[in-house]
Amino acid sequence: MTQKTLGRAADLLTIPEVVERARQTLSGDQWDYSCGGAESETTLRRNRTAFAELAFRPRVLMGAGQPDTSATFLGRLLALPVLLAPVGSIATFHPDGALACARVAADAGTGAFVGTLSHPALEVVRSGSTAPLFFQLYVYGDRGWLRDLVSRVEAAGYQGICVTVDVSAYGRRERDLHNRYFPRQSVERPNLGASTDVPGMVHRDAYNAALTWDDLAWLRGVTRLPLIVKGIMSSDDAAIAADHGVDVVYVSNHGGRQLDHALASIDVLPEVVSAVDGRAEVVLDSGIMRGSDVVKALALGARAVAIGKLMAWGLSAGGEAGLLRTLQLLQTEMATTLTNLGVRSVSELHPDLLRRVSPSAASAWPADL
């Protein structure tokens, strides 16, 4: 990727500055790929509007002092409960791809997801970072192929397996279609191993489309690692996932890039937390752009959130230093929000600190990140 000369990452003082520098750095095709959504992009906009419609109800004279932004996820202490989401084409934003993200996660005291479609190989990423790493799994083959990949993940020392279940069909991302930009076809995919196509299968995506809860139960039985299910958008599915022994229910609408006119992830979060009822931890992505967004998600019951777009933009704005600076800014915004809410730690957050306001009283993406 050709990049213009970048200023020092330390000069970035706000999240909008990170985004603007990324926009100036990326080509038009890359920018559209990073920020676009499916079809009319209604889901994309709804993700931001839903966060904006959640207003804070602060308490005063609480002696909040210097707040603690740390939290635990799957038994591991994170200095910042902002995980780096799996992005298959992350190597288009940094030559070291998922390895760069994993290194930054270690520096920031958080964890990262490493995608099936990402580069370099999962073993290289694991050996190059001390951060908690979770392998994101697309099912692109039969159970024999899947067992082999799971064995690689276990042998490499990952801390969990995250099955993405909301890509039965690849979303129609019209910005990419208009630009004739297809990054899925241009990046090496070392985690896939041998070809997964078999006679009668038009494309490997057909395996994802054919997945059922029986397949999840089989996977639960063949790995000792914590199991995360990504793409849950209803209380019904959340309850079924918990019934299947899933360790983490991951609420996500794929950043608005899959199903147009879907609910916002933050709007689904409360019903998912209620349905899980403590039987699994809950993570959320889609629409996280501010430290205040992180606080809102945690107040509604998420254990942590994950960022995808902001991760790509941080890398584009200044490489690993740019992504680390992005996480630092999120942590600063989180701490400021917690203090002004009268809260000393994320463990003190609860839904009563939020109220829903009318859409007319809320601002949304892109005017307000």
Side-chain angles (χ1 to χ4, degrees):
M1 178 173 65
T2 301
Q3 294 189 348
K4 302 174 184 177
T5 302
L6 295 172
R8 294 174 59 248
D11 293 337
L12 298 167
L13 300 183
T14 68
I15 295 295
E17 287 182 9
V18 173
V19 177
E20 179 58 23
R21 186 173 292 180
R23 189 189 66 79
Q24 293 174 356
T25 301
L26 295 169
S27 70
D29 291 350
Q30 291 171 321
W31 173 252
D32 279 347
Y33 171 73
S34 70
C35 67
E39 299 179 10
S40 70
E41 299 188 343
T42 297
T43 306
L44 180 74
R45 292 190 299 274
R46 189 169 285 155
N47 280 334
R48 289 303 305 146
T49 300
F51 273 107
E53 290 174 2
L54 287 170
F56 286 120
R57 179 176 173 266
R59 299 296 306 277
V60 299
L61 300 176
M62 302 296 290
Q66 294 296 317
D68 181 6
T69 62
S70 67
T72 59
F73 175 64
L74 289 176
R76 291 169 173 82
L77 182 66
L78 305 178
L80 177 68
V82 179
L83 303 162
L84 300 182
V87 175
S89 298
I90 196 63
T92 64
F93 301 98
H94 191 285
D96 288 344
L99 176 57
C101 298
R103 288 192 294 244
V104 173
D107 291 340
T110 189
F113 290 88
V114 177
T116 299
L117 298 180
S118 65
H119 177 88
L122 66 92
E123 292 88 353
V124 174
V125 179
R126 176 65 281 176
S127 65
S129 172
T130 59
L133 297 181
F134 310 94
F135 186 78
Q136 176 270 332
L137 177 66
Y138 285 129
V139 179
Y140 282 150
D142 60 18
R143 288 185 175 179
W145 176 89
L146 185 55
R147 190 188 295 271
D148 288 344
L149 182 55
V150 168
S151 295
R152 284 179 61 190
V153 172
E154 291 179 339
Y158 279 73
Q159 281 71 54
I161 292 179
C162 173
V163 187
T164 297
V165 295
D166 62 352
V167 190
S168 295
Y170 189 74
R172 289 186 56 79
R173 302 165 191 182
E174 293 187 355
R175 296 197 201 200
D176 297 342
L177 293 171
H178 289 313
N179 292 333
R180 306 303 191 264
Y181 183 69
F182 306 108
R184 291 179 97 202
Q185 301 173 7
S186 62
V187 178
E188 181 185 357
R189 312 293 188 185
N191 295 327
L192 286 180
S195 173
T196 59
D197 291 338
V198 297
M201 284 290 189
V202 176
H203 191 273
R204 65 192 183 206
D205 287 339
Y207 286 102
N208 275 318
L211 282 179
T212 69
W213 290 107
D214 287 342
D215 296 307
L216 187 72
W218 176 85
L219 181 61
R220 174 70 287 174
V222 299
T223 181
R224 57 180 172 76
L225 292 176
L227 188 59
I228 305 163
V229 177
K230 179 179 182 288
I232 298 296
M233 285 292 291
S234 74
S235 58
D236 299 314
D237 285 343
I240 296 172
D243 290 342
H244 279 71
V246 165
D247 299 279
V248 179
V249 172
Y250 190 147
V251 180
S252 172
N253 59 32
H254 221 96
R257 298 163 73 82
Q258 278 299 108
L259 177 65
D260 200 14
H261 302 280
L263 290 167
S265 60
I266 193 68
D267 282 343
V268 175
L269 178 60
E271 68 177 77
V272 167
V273 170
S274 177
V276 168
D277 195 24
R279 293 179 292 164
E281 297 181 13
V282 178
V283 170
L284 175 137
D285 75 12
S286 304
I288 300 288
M289 292 290 164
R290 295 280 195 174
S292 56
D293 299 332
V294 180
V295 172
K296 290 174 182 179
L298 298 182
L300 291 177
R303 183 64 61 92
V305 304
I307 57 170
K309 291 181 175 67
L310 268 183
M311 177 177 67
W313 291 336
L315 287 175
S316 302
E320 292 184 31
L323 177 53
L324 181 60
R325 182 60 176 157
T326 302
L327 292 172
Q328 290 170 342
L329 290 170
L330 287 174
Q331 188 168 29
T332 297
E333 290 183 349
M334 271 190 70
T336 301
T337 301
L338 291 173
T339 299
N340 286 326
L341 280 174
V343 172
R344 291 167 292 187
S345 70
V346 298
S347 64
E348 295 182 358
L349 291 169
H350 53 84
D352 285 346
L353 290 167
L354 297 173
R355 288 289 186 273
R356 179 74 62 179
V357 299
S358 67
S360 62
S363 61
W365 170 278
D368 176 18
L369 292 177

